[in-house]
Amino acid sequence: MSEERSLNFIEEIIEEDIRNGKNEGRVHTRFPPEPNGYLHIGHAKSICLNFGLAKKYNGKTNLRFDDTNPVTEDTEYVESIKEDVRWLGFDWANELYASDYFDQIYAFAQKLIEQGLAYVDDSTAEEIAHQKGTPTEPGVPNQYRDRTVAENLNLFAEMKDGMYPDGAKVLRAKVDLGSPNMLMRDPIMYRIKHAHHHRTGDAWCIYPMYDFAHGQSDSIEQITHSICTLEFIPHRAMYDWFIDKLAIFPSQQYEFARLNMTYTVMSKRKLLQLVNEGFVESWDDPRMPTISGLRRRGYTPHSLREFCERIGVAKRENMIDVSLLEFCIREDLNKTAWRRMAVLDPVKCIITNFAEGAEEMHFGENNPEAEGGDGGRDIPFSREIWIERDDFMEVAPKKFFRLGPGLMVRLKNAYIIKCDDFIKDADGAITEIHCSYIPESRSGSDTSGINVKGTIHWVSVPHAKTAEVRLYDRLFKVEDPSNEDGDFKDYINPESLHMIQAYVEPDLATVETGKGYQFIRKGYFCLDKTSTADHLVFNRTVTLKDGWVKK
RNA sequence: UGCCUGAUAGUAUAAUGGUAGUACGACGGUUUUUGGUACCGUUUGUCUAGGUUCGAAUCCUGGUCGGGCAACCA
């Protein structure tokens, strides 16, 4: 029944391949993170793409950790990545590691040496960079380039055996020092690093570079469509060259544009800085664009998948408006989140004609969008209630459908009340509002015949629970912090977090973490992982859309 | 300066030589016991100059603009 959606360019390539019987119609993708940081929403785009493609074409997706640089990587990251992918709703066919292939990749290197296509170079990093030339001048060969196969084989073995310190030698591919593509000017295949690897321990002291590990891993796994981001386009030449010279399974690389989003940064390096320098609390700070941050903020896997679906896949640079992300979570939560009442900026309202000490229970459905309201809960009502400070105005403008002297509103799920009086303190701040209720207007059995324009939320004073509520705003003040002059951290929004004390209806003391709630008229909120029975903590996921603009 | 890429409303993304459409945003309206939701409507676009063609967003040529490439990172 699904609408016929047009294909993105990668789907077109795949369908063409299937039509041509390429790889016997097999589709095998992979998601290949380096375990050196937490996944962010940009990775979610890649995850949804890779797993989505495999699912659509009855294929498989491997989760492969690109762990070829032991100094930056850690099992902490491996675990978080697995958790995030799973949470997003995807299952991988195989959990694999580039480090699983170190023996095989080493053998590939020997094979290239034997073909005269790789050599050991004793130059320093600076010398190699210098000899590479510039984009407009070709590189120049050095004396090491002519070493014999036997000599190279021997030296490479000695590198592996730990006979040289870090940086003393590298293994380079003998490609073309005059290539207009800088990456083809004899790229480094192996470097010496006497470092402990989180999986292989101290078994190795040489590690393959990206260009000599990624494509080889793809090939070993018989990956048919190796999808990466645009900045790897120049690497494709090397990717293909190695596969060709090694005569191994010809995986093919395709590139799409990475996700950029307004008012945020998306590079692991920058996100790491935010954490390390204390601008945010942690990788899963609800202001972070990480998967774990969004999860803690109250985003659902479904909303993230929907977002990734809507942003599309193409090759041009893009800057997605965060409002689309917000739309996706509102759309999801509107259908599923239970409604509750919470007063974030309270002022006391006394129902003067309601008996002192009396209490009533009023029923509130869980979700008006769901059939039958999805059940409901009882809400205690009494003579004193908290209402929102900005739901009262001493001098109300024309279209203000809330409380003010002589004005009437409905208390959600309860009675219509009329404002008779109010009290101010010495500074002119409202301290108390006096109202009378209309007994015949009880919600569900209203015989009063009165129609009011406005409905406000409220919480009974003696029944209210206190809660800490964290109101989040965008982390940056400008649309594209990475593109501004100076340090991106200069553009951090100092107002990105407001912590307030709120009064919430008693039912909210019993909610579970991981479930989204709508605080009526205020937004979507979820219980924070740090919340306890004695100290409730809620995070605001997103506000409600606000069509009310003051003139 | 060399090479590689890309260019369609504010932002994304379709149209694969034949009516420039969709979503988000913005604006306006209807409904509403959430100024939410839902529904309806309005708004704004093919980078540029030539060429091919009955017909070009699409093909060709030149230009302009954006992004990437000179890590023992991935």
Side-chain angles (χ1 to χ4, degrees):
Chain A
M1 223 53 231
S2 71
E3 193 96 337
E4 192 60 36
R5 191 177 59 85
S6 55
L7 269 28
N8 66 47
F9 78 99
I10 296 177
E11 291 170 327
E12 285 188 2
I13 289 167
I14 291 179
E15 297 202 358
E16 170 83 16
D17 288 347
I18 291 173
R19 268 196 299 278
N20 294 335
K22 195 170 175 182
N23 301 312
E24 298 81 44
R26 195 170 55 84
V27 174
H28 200 154
T29 60
R30 104 265 93 115
F31 173 62
E34 183 186 13
N36 67 347
Y38 282 67
L39 260 26
H40 55 62
I41 188 160
H43 293 106
K45 178 178 180 179
S46 171
I47 292 167
C48 290
L49 215 209
N50 278 295
F51 283 89
L53 252 15
K55 186 172 182 199
K56 179 168 182 177
Y57 297 105
N58 290 311
K60 290 178 178 170
T61 305
N62 290 347
L63 173 62
R64 183 176 70 237
F65 292 95
D66 227 340
D67 56 349
T68 57
N69 186 1
V71 305
T72 58
E73 297 157 7
D74 196 273
T75 46
E76 174 200 349
Y77 299 122
V78 171
E79 292 311 312
S80 78
I81 288 167
K82 284 159 65 175
E83 183 188 353
D84 288 348
V85 174
R86 227 179 269 123
W87 178 79
L88 267 178
F90 298 104
D91 283 316
W92 45 90
N94 305 100
E95 177 185 332
L96 301 165
Y97 296 80
S99 55
D100 293 340
Y101 312 131
F102 280 172
D103 282 315
Q104 199 163 351
I105 293 171
Y106 182 80
F108 285 153
Q110 288 177 313
K111 185 173 173 185
L112 254 17
I113 292 172
E114 282 160 9
Q115 293 176 74
L117 294 174
Y119 61 99
V120 172
D121 192 326
D122 301 0
S123 307
T124 64
E126 296 70 40
E127 285 164 346
I128 288 177
H130 185 251
Q131 289 160 8
K132 265 195 182 176
T134 68
T136 51
E137 304 162 75
V140 292
N142 59 33
Q143 69 270 36
Y144 307 112
R145 202 170 197 262
D146 298 321
R147 290 219 250 230
T148 64
V149 168
E151 193 181 358
N152 283 319
L153 242 18
N154 183 46
L155 255 16
F156 186 47
E158 289 181 350
M159 282 169 62
K160 175 183 189 263
D161 291 340
M163 293 182 60
Y164 304 107
D166 288 7
K169 288 179 166 46
V170 290
L171 182 72
R172 288 227 257 170
K174 194 185 281 188
V175 189
D176 178 8
L177 286 168
S179 171
N181 180 349
M182 296 297 291
L183 290 162
M184 296 288 273
R185 323 251 261 223
D186 290 12
I188 292 169
M189 296 162 61
Y190 267 93
R191 76 286 213 191
I192 300 170
K193 271 182 198 269
H194 291 271
H196 188 83
H197 187 281
H198 66 104
R199 296 193 85 242
T200 60
D202 299 311
W204 293 86
C205 64
I206 57 171
Y207 293 92
M209 297 284 290
Y210 169 86
D211 281 316
F212 197 61
H214 199 99
Q216 289 57 40
S217 303
D218 284 342
S219 181
I220 290 166
E221 294 172 22
Q222 309 253 308
I223 298 300
T224 56
H225 301 265
S226 176
I227 299 163
C228 60
T229 45
L230 255 27
E231 64 270 28
F232 290 97
I233 288 176
H235 292 260
R236 190 174 61 228
M238 274 320 307
Y239 186 103
D240 292 341
W241 190 89
F242 280 126
I243 282 178
D244 178 53
K245 301 303 179 195
L246 258 9
I248 53 179
F249 179 81
S251 298
Q252 300 267 310
Q253 174 182 305
Y254 302 96
E255 311 87 8
F256 71 98
R258 68 172 346 128
L259 168 66
N260 297 295
M261 206 162 59
T262 54
Y263 301 102
T264 192
V265 294
M266 208 69 92
S267 87
K268 276 190 197 169
R269 200 192 99 248
K270 293 194 175 85
L271 295 175
L272 183 64
Q273 273 185 68
L274 293 174
V275 175
N276 286 346
E277 297 172 30
F279 291 99
V280 296
E281 182 190 294
S282 55
W283 281 101
D284 71 346
D285 187 298
R287 291 165 292 181
M288 291 281 273
T290 50
I291 308 276
S292 51
L294 291 163
R295 174 167 62 228
R296 189 170 167 195
R297 175 83 171 248
Y299 276 79
T300 58
H302 179 264
S303 68
L304 262 25
R305 276 185 258 120
E306 178 66 19
F307 174 74
C308 292
E309 185 65 33
R310 283 172 178 265
I311 58 179
V313 177
K315 295 192 79 144
R316 71 185 87 108
E317 304 282 338
N318 59 77
M319 178 66 77
I320 307 286
D321 200 316
V322 287
S323 65
L324 182 62
L325 218 210
E326 294 177 346
F327 167 81
C328 291
I329 188 58
R330 286 193 187 107
E331 182 189 47
D332 189 18
L333 256 18
N334 175 51
K335 293 191 194 109
T336 57
W338 284 359
R339 272 56 170 175
R340 291 294 181 267
M341 292 197 285
V343 177
L344 305 185
D345 183 16
V347 63
K348 192 175 280 186
C349 176
I350 298 178
I351 314 296
T352 52
N353 58 341
F354 195 85
E356 221 155 322
E359 96 174 30
E360 279 179 1
M361 283 299 184
H362 290 251
F363 179 78
E365 59 185 356
N366 282 330
N367 187 348
E369 300 297 313
E371 227 168 301
D374 200 12
R377 82 293 185 191
D378 286 323
I379 311 161
F381 179 78
S382 66
R383 180 182 162 91
E384 296 193 358
I385 59 175
W386 296 114
I387 65 169
E388 214 67 63
R389 186 165 288 278
D390 66 5
D391 280 341
F392 175 87
M393 278 186 96
E394 191 178 341
V395 185
K398 237 189 216 106
K399 291 214 172 154
F400 186 73
F401 305 136
R402 309 181 204 175
L403 237 33
L407 295 179
M408 294 201 283
V409 292
R410 173 173 291 281
L411 296 174
K412 178 75 181 175
N413 296 128
Y415 300 104
I416 292 174
I417 58 170
K418 180 182 180 190
C419 175
D420 304 313
D421 198 8
F422 61 92
I423 298 175
K424 282 205 268 192
D425 65 14
D427 302 326
I430 309 288
T431 56
E432 224 171 80
I433 296 162
H434 292 176
C435 295
S436 47
Y437 83 111
I438 292 151
E440 306 80 55
S441 69
R442 182 170 177 135
S443 189
S445 53
D446 187 343
T447 55
S448 70
I450 300 171
N451 273 317
V452 291
K453 271 289 219 179
T455 300
I456 65 172
H457 58 281
W458 53 276
V459 175
S460 165
V461 172
H463 303 91
K465 305 286 180 192
T466 50
E468 176 181 316
V469 176
R470 300 176 180 174
L471 306 176
Y472 299 104
D473 196 359
R474 43 183 62 133
L475 231 197
F476 291 92
K477 293 180 289 190
V478 295
E479 281 204 0
D480 190 3
S482 306
N483 241 351
E484 294 284 341
D485 291 335
D487 191 338
F488 77 99
K489 296 194 283 326
D490 297 343
Y491 300 90
I492 288 177
N493 175 11
E495 311 271 282
S496 64
L497 168 60
H498 278 292
M499 299 225 253
I500 60 168
Q501 292 293 318
Y503 291 115
V504 304
E505 65 169 279
D507 184 78
L508 280 171
T510 68
V511 306
E512 347 154 5
T513 157
K515 191 165 158 42
Y517 293 86
Q518 185 193 102
F519 290 1
I520 290 174
R521 299 208 303 141
K522 285 284 138 187
Y524 294 98
F525 295 75
C526 65
L527 201 66
D528 188 66
K529 66 177 189 182
T530 63
S531 186
T532 64
D534 295 336
H535 184 73
L536 296 173
V537 181
F538 287 94
N539 293 319
R540 182 173 69 194
T541 308
V542 67
T543 60
L544 253 28
K545 215 172 127 185
D546 191 2
W548 161 250
V549 277
K550 296 191 187 79
K551 305 272 150 80

